[in-house]
Amino acid sequence: MTRGAGLHGVQRRPGLLGTVLAFPAGVQQRARIADALRHRADVQFVSSMAALLDALRKSVRQIDTVILPARDEDGSPIERQIREIASERPNTAIVVYCRAGSQYSADLRALASAGAHQFVFAGIDDDGSAFTEVLHSARRHCAADSVMRQLAPIIPASLHPIVEAALADPAERTTISQLANARGVHRKTLFNLCERARFLTPSELLTWCRLALVGHYLDTTGCTLETISIELAFASDTALRNTIKRYTRMRA
């Protein structure tokens, strides 16, 4: 997408970053965002928080990520706007572009509590691959939150910490041993927890969590199954297709 093009004309590229809507705090931030995401995402810039919120409301397409400054144009806090975005667009990752320093820690805690998924720090991780990785991390956090909201009502509360761990880092937690290590327990503990809850085995629970993320990405990003299989560390897209068929009895 060329800069300044309308959202309705977006041509989606492969990749989980998808469409990014950015309200940079100034020219330098805009240049950093444009440079970091060139050829990696479809980026549209807006000139104000009001314009960003308006674009989100009017867009008929999924906006995968928004990038916001730590404060509005007049220096006021943006917690309210973040809560609004998180409520109205729960599948949109929220990234805040801010400065590093202990003097900003209270602001960052407030923004995180309001719903920000990740932070980009000026002069630290706001270039190329580092910036991109922050956005990927925000997308993963957003996906995990969204899927957990849907799974929570149908999974025993005692197993929620296991599910949260599985969703938080799916590419690194593909086995029961890795999941147990992430929780700081022995793998046998996971089996005992599932047995006491009279629920799925840990292996089945882990696989269903991963498939729920696959469904989320298929539904919200427009990515191919091949891209998703790489993002979630399946052995191959064929392996993912076979897992979907075995567990759901449906084609991908």
Side-chain angles (χ1 to χ4, degrees):
M1 173 177 137
T2 56
R3 293 182 184 83
L7 288 176
H8 299 284
V10 169
Q11 295 296 316
R12 300 300 296 276
R13 297 191 185 101
L16 291 175
L17 290 183
T19 303
V20 177
L21 184 61
F23 164 38
V27 174
Q28 187 175 16
Q29 281 194 4
R30 177 178 176 129
R32 286 280 195 173
I33 293 170
D35 182 64
L37 301 184
R38 186 174 290 111
H39 307 310
R40 293 184 173 97
D42 297 308
V43 185
Q44 179 181 358
F45 292 101
V46 293
S47 58
S48 67
M49 183 67 75
L52 183 139
L53 294 175
D54 188 56
L56 285 172
R57 294 189 193 100
K58 292 180 177 178
S59 176
V60 296
R61 291 179 177 271
Q62 170 64 23
I63 295 174
D64 301 279
T65 307
V66 293
I67 302 176
L68 310 170
R71 288 183 171 269
D72 208 341
E73 303 104 306
D74 59 2
S76 60
I78 62 166
E79 288 93 329
R80 178 184 59 79
Q81 292 91 331
I82 288 180
R83 280 191 288 270
E84 181 179 332
I85 295 170
S87 174
E88 296 183 2
R89 307 287 296 227
N91 292 327
T92 295
I94 302 171
V95 176
V96 177
Y97 201 147
C98 56
R99 296 179 182 177
S102 58
Q103 66 269 38
Y104 304 114
S105 59
D107 284 349
L108 299 187
R109 286 195 297 270
L111 294 170
S113 296
H117 296 103
Q118 269 293 1
F119 298 90
V120 171
F121 293 98
I124 298 177
D125 53 7
D126 59 345
D127 64 342
S129 59
F131 202 136
T132 304
E133 180 51 39
V134 171
L135 265 65
H136 275 300
S137 178
R139 294 288 299 132
R140 288 192 293 269
H141 289 175
C142 181
D145 289 347
S146 179
V147 171
M148 188 65 206
R149 282 194 297 271
Q150 297 176 70
L151 293 182
I154 60 174
I155 293 177
S158 61
L159 302 182
H160 284 189
I162 299 175
V163 175
E164 289 169 348
L167 296 174
D169 198 351
E172 297 296 328
R173 298 168 189 173
T174 63
T175 69
I176 299 306
S177 294
Q178 291 169 334
L179 184 58
N181 288 339
R183 291 289 304 140
V185 299
H186 192 277
R187 64 198 312 271
K188 181 62 176 176
T189 302
L190 300 187
F191 283 92
N192 292 339
L193 287 170
C194 289
E195 189 174 63
R196 283 199 293 270
R198 297 182 180 181
F199 202 61
L200 304 171
T201 66
S203 179
E204 291 171 327
L205 180 58
L206 176 59
T207 300
W208 276 112
C209 288
R210 288 165 59 74
L211 289 179
L213 282 170
V214 172
H216 172 86
Y217 284 134
L218 285 173
D219 189 46
T220 64
T221 69
C223 291
T224 65
L225 205 66
E226 290 77 8
T227 298
I228 296 170
S229 69
I230 294 171
E231 174 73 13
L232 299 183
F234 281 86
S236 66
D237 59 292
T238 299
L240 175 52
R241 292 177 193 278
N242 290 339
T243 302
I244 292 172
K245 190 171 183 179
R246 183 166 67 253
Y247 275 77
T248 69
R249 299 181 182 180
M250 295 185 292
R251 295 178 181 272

